[in-house]
């Protein structure tokens, strides 16, 4: 039997710091360097030792066996601290119950109504653009995604001021999660300016969520939005009492889905628009499709099946820049992985970014090529080589919501506008919980 001790450690670690410096300087390059050292390789983040899974098949095994490879580890622990214990982050023991309670909000029958809101909010924001205006694309995509998501989740409960505050708080929290993940725990407890900002943002955001729930409960739950589903869905009957989600659990769900519904969608769309400016041939094909399908109007739910190339562009962006780029798990029992014995409590990390950039999985993996999704892989490969939404029982419950929204927003933008980069601009990934472009400032131009 081979043991975990026979697994090598990535080179370049320093005493006390481990691989903290390369993770902070250029984490994407560091991650994609790991497969050269084996399908499994240890890395160290300060005193923490974690097993990086570099092989698609082994990654799929980790995703499918979520009882043994449970949600945990440094990233999940920091995310739970910030966002709560909702469906995306809860341990295996709580997942089945939460999934059953949350599932009605994401049934296919509800998607057309959600899509109507997406269309309305996207048209409202992009309709306010003017020739020559410049903006940070990621921030503007956040604005579109936030308006769509808030209207879907809260109907008209939130004021514009509350929404602005929520976005500011989420930005602080998202950056803080990654920073705290790679920082020794002792430093996370110090009253530094960054730590104080993080705790203030977390406290204010949860307070906003609590007020929204209290207001809705006092006024009834008649609105046809996602929050009403959370408030109205019973769990199971114990005697004469229906057990549903508590207010604290609802806050956790809202925190998690607010993050997933805004940050990840905005990141994918911002990267897509950036990639299109550097690939004019692909942009022309996208424009040809939206001109044929939309004729200058905003995209709707009924248009989505016909926006096939638009969807391919989104899929390829998800491959190149998966929002959830680094994810941790922990073993709950002694187990084996790739022929190696692992003790219970072993910290595991896997990276969709790493998997999506393996040359043995994708021809010329750094090339932006939507046509690679025109064949059998179109429906997402089942071999673990394409995992932007995870896999197994823990696969993202809102994947179709997110894909529908991304297609509607991208097609609506492309039907009327082109975005061009500013001279001398240099875009870099922002290393936070979500992989997003940093300082992506662009100028908007009308197409006609």
């Amino acid at each position: 039997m081979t043991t975990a001790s026979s697994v090598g450690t990535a080179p370049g670690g320093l005493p006390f710091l481990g691989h903290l410096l390369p993770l902070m300087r250029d984490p994407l390059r560091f991650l994609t360097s790991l497969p050269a050292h084996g399908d499994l390789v240890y890395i160290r983040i300060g005193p923490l030792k974690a097993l990086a899974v570099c092989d698609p098949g082994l990654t799929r095994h980790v995703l499918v066996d979520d009882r043994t490879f449970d949600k945990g580890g440094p990233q999940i622990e920091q995310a739970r601290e910030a966002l709560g214990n909702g469906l995306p982050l809860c341990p295996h023991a709580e997942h089945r119950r939460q999934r059953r309670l949350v599932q009605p909000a994401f049934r296919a029958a509800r998607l057309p109504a959600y899509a109507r809101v997406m269309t309305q909010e996207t048209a409202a924001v992009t309709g306010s653009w003017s020739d020559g205006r410049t903006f940070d694309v990621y921030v503007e995509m956040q604005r579109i995604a936030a308006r769509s998501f808030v209207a879907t989740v809260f109907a008209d409960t939130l004021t514009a001021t509350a929404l602005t505050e929520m976005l500011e708080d989420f930005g602080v929290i998202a950056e803080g999660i990654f920073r705290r993940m790679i920082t020794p725990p002792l430093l996370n407890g110090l009253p530094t300016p960054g730590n104080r900002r993080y705790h203030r943002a977390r406290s204010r955001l949860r307070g906003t969520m609590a007020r929204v729930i209290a207001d809705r409960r006092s006024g009834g739950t008649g609105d046809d939005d996602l929050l009403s589903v959370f408030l109205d869905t019973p769990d199971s009957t114990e005697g004469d009492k229906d057990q549903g989600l508590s207010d604290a659990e609802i806050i956790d769900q809202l925190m998690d889905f607010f993050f997933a519904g805004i940050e990840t969608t905005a990141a994918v769309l911002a990267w897509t628009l950036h990639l299109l400016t550097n690939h004019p041939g692909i942009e022309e094909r996208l424009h040809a499709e939206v001109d044929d399908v939309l004729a200058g109007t905003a995209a709707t739910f009924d248009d989505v099946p016909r926006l096939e190339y638009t969807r391919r562009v989104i899929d390829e962006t998800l491959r190149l820049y998966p929002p959830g780029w680094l994810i941790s798990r922990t073993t709950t029992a002694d187990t084996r992985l790739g022929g190696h014995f692992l003790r219970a409590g072993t910290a595991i990390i896997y990276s969709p970014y790493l998997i999506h950039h393996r040359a043995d999985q994708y021809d010329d993996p750094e090339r932006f090529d939507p046509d690679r999704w025109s064949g059998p892989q179109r429906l997402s490969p089942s071999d673990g080589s394409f995992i932007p939404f995870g896999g197994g029982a823990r696969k993202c419950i809102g994947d179709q919501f997110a894909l529908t929204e991304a297609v509607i927003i991208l097609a609506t933008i492309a039907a009327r506008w082109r975005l061009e980069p500013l001279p001398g601009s240099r875009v870099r990934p922002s290393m936070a919980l979500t992989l997003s472009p940093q300082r992506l400032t662009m100028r908007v131009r009308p197409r006609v």
Side-chain angles (χ1 to χ4, degrees):
M1 177 190 299
T2 56
T3 66
S5 62
S6 64
V7 176
T9 299
L14 298 174
F16 304 109
L17 296 177
H19 299 95
L20 184 60
L21 291 182
L23 267 173
M24 295 182 69
R25 288 172 178 167
D26 195 344
L28 299 181
R29 176 177 291 184
F30 175 72
L31 287 172
T32 53
S33 74
L34 295 179
H37 307 291
D39 292 340
L40 298 173
V41 59
Y42 276 110
I43 67 170
R44 291 189 298 111
I45 307 171
L48 173 69
K49 191 176 183 180
L51 184 66
V53 184
C54 306
D55 174 76
L58 296 181
T59 301
R60 175 169 172 75
H61 179 82
V62 169
L63 291 172
V64 171
D65 186 6
D66 64 304
R67 180 188 294 271
T68 303
F69 300 93
D70 203 356
K71 288 290 181 88
Q75 182 237 28
I76 296 297
E77 290 169 4
Q78 290 301 327
R80 279 183 186 145
E81 178 193 64
L83 304 176
N85 199 40
L87 181 66
L89 300 174
C90 71
H92 172 84
E94 301 175 31
H95 179 257
R96 185 175 180 181
R97 170 183 173 265
Q98 289 199 28
R99 184 101 182 188
R100 187 173 66 250
L101 289 170
V102 171
Q103 187 69 56
F106 293 96
R107 286 176 180 156
R110 300 186 68 89
L111 198 51
Y114 295 156
R116 283 194 292 273
V117 174
M118 298 170 189
T119 298
Q120 293 167 3
E121 298 300 334
T122 304
V125 174
T126 59
S128 69
W129 293 354
S130 57
D131 185 11
R133 178 183 169 191
T134 62
F135 48 63
D136 183 307
V137 177
Y138 180 55
V139 173
E140 192 71 358
M141 293 306 104
Q142 279 185 317
R143 188 159 76 100
I144 296 175
R147 286 182 54 147
S148 298
F149 189 76
V150 167
T152 298
V153 176
F154 301 111
D156 58 354
T157 303
L158 285 182
T159 65
T161 299
L163 175 58
T164 299
E165 289 180 352
M166 290 174 78
L167 287 176
E168 291 173 352
D169 292 338
F170 259 105
V172 173
I173 291 170
E175 179 183 359
I177 291 173
F178 180 70
R179 174 178 51 78
R180 294 167 70 83
M181 171 184 164
I182 63 175
T183 301
L186 180 63
L187 298 182
N188 287 334
L190 297 178
T192 64
N195 286 338
R196 289 200 299 269
R197 284 195 302 272
Y198 168 83
H199 287 297
R200 280 198 304 268
R202 179 181 178 276
S203 177
R204 185 170 74 166
L205 187 56
R206 293 188 71 87
T208 299
M209 298 289 188
R211 288 192 296 274
V212 170
I213 292 171
D215 290 346
R216 184 65 66 84
R217 285 203 186 278
S218 65
T221 59
D223 293 301
D224 185 22
D225 56 20
L226 191 146
L227 176 57
S228 293
V229 178
F230 290 166
L231 290 169
D232 293 344
T233 302
D235 179 8
S236 59
T237 301
E238 297 178 0
D240 295 326
K241 184 179 180 182
D242 286 336
Q243 300 295 313
L245 290 168
S246 68
D247 284 4
E249 287 177 319
I250 292 175
I251 292 173
D252 286 352
Q253 304 299 343
L254 293 178
M255 292 280 287
D256 286 354
F257 287 122
F258 194 92
F259 180 87
I262 296 174
E263 296 290 317
T264 59
T265 299
V268 171
L269 288 165
W271 282 122
T272 301
L273 293 167
H274 170 64
L275 289 165
L276 289 171
T277 64
N278 295 306
H279 298 83
I282 294 173
E283 186 179 49
E284 288 176 9
R285 290 181 62 184
L286 175 68
H287 288 163
E289 178 176 84
V290 300
D291 289 348
D292 180 59
V293 175
L294 304 180
T297 63
T300 68
F301 180 77
D302 292 337
D303 296 320
V304 171
R306 296 189 293 155
L307 293 166
E308 194 270 340
Y309 190 72
T310 307
R311 168 64 188 273
R312 273 193 265 158
V313 169
I314 294 294
D315 282 344
E316 181 66 346
T317 303
L318 284 167
R319 185 188 69 82
L320 284 171
Y321 296 105
W325 60 287
L326 183 64
I327 301 166
S328 65
R329 295 281 178 102
T330 189
T331 56
T332 58
D334 292 350
T335 188
R336 294 176 64 84
L337 183 64
H340 297 275
F341 176 77
L342 305 180
R343 292 289 186 188
T346 300
I348 304 285
I349 66 167
Y350 70 91
S351 170
Y353 183 93
L354 181 160
I355 299 299
H356 294 178
H357 286 255
R358 286 188 59 132
D360 60 346
Q361 300 299 309
Y362 296 97
D363 294 334
D364 194 2
E366 303 306 315
R367 185 179 78 248
F368 180 51
D369 180 16
D371 282 337
R372 72 172 81 242
W373 300 105
S374 60
Q377 285 189 318
R378 174 66 179 83
L379 297 178
S380 301
S382 59
D383 59 2
S385 63
F386 186 62
I387 50 173
F389 297 105
R394 303 300 298 255
K395 185 179 180 182
C396 176
I397 196 172
D399 58 345
Q400 293 308 306
F401 180 105
L403 288 168
T404 299
E405 181 177 31
V407 168
I408 285 176
I409 294 173
L410 178 60
T412 300
I413 292 172
R416 292 187 56 190
W417 304 98
R418 290 186 70 255
L419 276 74
E420 57 185 31
L422 299 183
S425 61
R426 185 181 180 187
V427 178
R428 291 178 173 234
S430 176
M431 294 301 120
L433 189 61
T434 298
L435 181 60
S436 58
Q438 188 177 30
R439 293 191 294 272
L440 177 55
T441 303
M442 301 178 77
R443 179 176 288 109
V444 65
R445 297 293 191 190
R447 286 191 52 217
V448 292

